[in-house]
Amino acid sequence: MNFEKLEQLYEGKAKRVYATQDPEVVIVSYKDDATAFNGLKKGTITGKGAINNRMTNNLMRRLEEKGVPTHYIQELSDRETAVKKVAIVPLEVIIRNISAGSFSKRYGVEEGIVFEAPTIEFSYKNDDLGDPLLNDYHALALKLATAGEIELIKKYAFAVNELLKVFMKEIGIDLVDFKLEFGKTADGTIVLADEISPDTCRLWDETTHEKLDKDRFRRDLGGAEEAYEEVMRRLMGEQ
Ligand code: UDP
């Protein structure tokens, strides 16, 4: 299909969104800009936009094949993809398999504890409030989603975890944790949206435990570009 890129609808921290001639389709364009700590830290990871675009599309296509509905329609170029236009449910859905990041900080535990079962948490997607943590009852009270939608989102998030763990293990990576966002299409269907990339997942090499994700940028470890390229190379079998 031929999607025409029309006016810009939105610019976020890592992506721009454009209208197309089809009111139910938008084009997402990935940037190399990197931010952390709610936008306080800013920088660039050269090549990140293309990697995150292609990696997200690869994973979304495979998730869709396994029965998880997604917003993915068609990759248009290295950085651009046509996706279904959705209203984003203002919840960040975080699944964890291994302790790290804010979990370790909040509960005062070391990073690297392998959980017996994955955990799920929600935060309210609101930059002004710093994305505060909330539970299902809070989400319902704030009318961020219906009870049925929250149940469906949890079911899809755990299903994505099981599949992503396998996809990552195949390329020698432990899936530590990740963030998902869901959207609602014009007809009210809940689909997986946003991205799945080293920006939104913690990915550790299964043998060396080297961090192959945005923590290299967040924590000034160096080698962020190389880490993103390494994940891409393993996933797609190319540079
Ligand atoms: N995450 C994200 N966007 C956010 C917050 C978290 O993509 O706004 C991802 C993050 O990359 C990690 C997971 O969600 O893979 C869990 O993040 P955590 O809550 O530990 O927060 P952080 O330590 O990154 O602030």
Side-chain angles (χ1 to χ4, degrees):
M1 248 179 294
N2 239 338
F3 295 108
E4 214 183 313
K5 192 160 118 185
L6 302 177
E7 79 276 11
Q8 182 176 307
L9 298 175
Y10 170 80
E11 175 158 11
K13 287 180 276 211
K15 299 187 273 304
R16 295 188 186 90
V17 179
Y18 298 89
T20 70
Q21 74 279 22
D22 183 334
E24 292 186 8
V25 179
V26 293
I27 292 174
V28 178
S29 179
Y30 286 72
K31 306 190 280 186
D32 284 352
D33 298 357
T35 62
F37 313 118
N38 200 18
L40 282 178
K41 182 180 170 99
K42 289 193 176 71
T44 303
I45 302 175
T46 307
K48 167 172 96 73
I51 290 174
N52 287 3
N53 179 45
R54 297 178 61 215
M55 179 169 167
T56 296
N57 294 341
N58 174 288
L59 296 172
M60 292 251 182
R61 284 191 292 259
R62 291 159 75 189
L63 291 170
E64 188 91 49
E65 275 169 24
K66 300 283 186 188
V68 179
T70 77
H71 71 164
Y72 176 78
I73 300 176
Q74 190 188 334
E75 188 166 289
L76 303 175
S77 69
D78 259 11
R79 277 174 196 276
E80 295 190 334
T81 297
V83 300
K84 290 175 196 156
K85 185 171 188 174
V86 296
I88 291 286
V89 177
L91 291 173
E92 297 199 341
V93 182
I94 293 171
I95 297 269
R96 301 176 191 272
N97 297 303
I98 300 176
S99 65
S102 69
F103 182 96
S104 290
K105 201 169 166 205
R106 187 179 319 122
Y107 302 119
V109 295
E110 65 196 282
E111 296 199 319
I113 302 165
V114 179
F115 302 149
E116 278 187 23
T119 67
I120 190 165
E121 73 211 36
F122 295 126
S123 51
Y124 177 24
K125 201 172 142 59
N126 183 319
D127 281 342
D128 294 339
L129 300 175
D131 298 338
L133 197 63
L134 45 63
N135 67 27
D136 303 26
Y137 295 92
H138 300 139
L140 274 176
L142 292 168
K143 298 195 166 59
L144 306 183
T146 66
E149 287 165 355
I150 293 172
E151 281 318 302
L152 199 55
I153 285 172
K154 284 201 243 179
K155 189 184 97 176
Y156 288 154
F158 282 120
V160 168
N161 184 45
E162 291 312 309
L163 293 163
L164 272 190
K165 268 200 293 193
V166 173
F167 299 164
M168 291 300 159
K169 205 65 192 172
E170 283 168 2
I171 57 169
I173 288 175
D174 285 329
L175 178 63
V176 175
D177 59 29
F178 58 96
K179 184 259 310 180
L180 299 176
E181 293 184 24
F182 290 86
K184 242 166 116 166
T185 61
D187 68 5
T189 308
I190 295 281
V191 295
L192 180 62
D194 196 46
E195 66 179 284
I196 307 172
S197 72
D199 270 12
T200 62
C201 304
R202 283 196 171 92
L203 305 169
W204 293 355
D205 182 275
E206 67 176 350
T207 0
T208 64
H209 300 126
E210 189 190 0
K211 296 183 197 313
L212 299 172
D213 56 57
K214 199 163 114 178
D215 273 347
R216 302 208 71 86
F217 168 77
R218 288 191 193 97
R219 303 180 184 187
D220 294 320
L221 301 175
E225 278 87 358
E226 292 76 7
Y228 280 61
E229 281 162 16
E230 175 62 17
V231 176
M232 186 66 180
R233 192 190 56 73
R234 292 194 200 182
L235 196 64
M236 318 281 273
E238 56 191 87
Q239 293 298 349

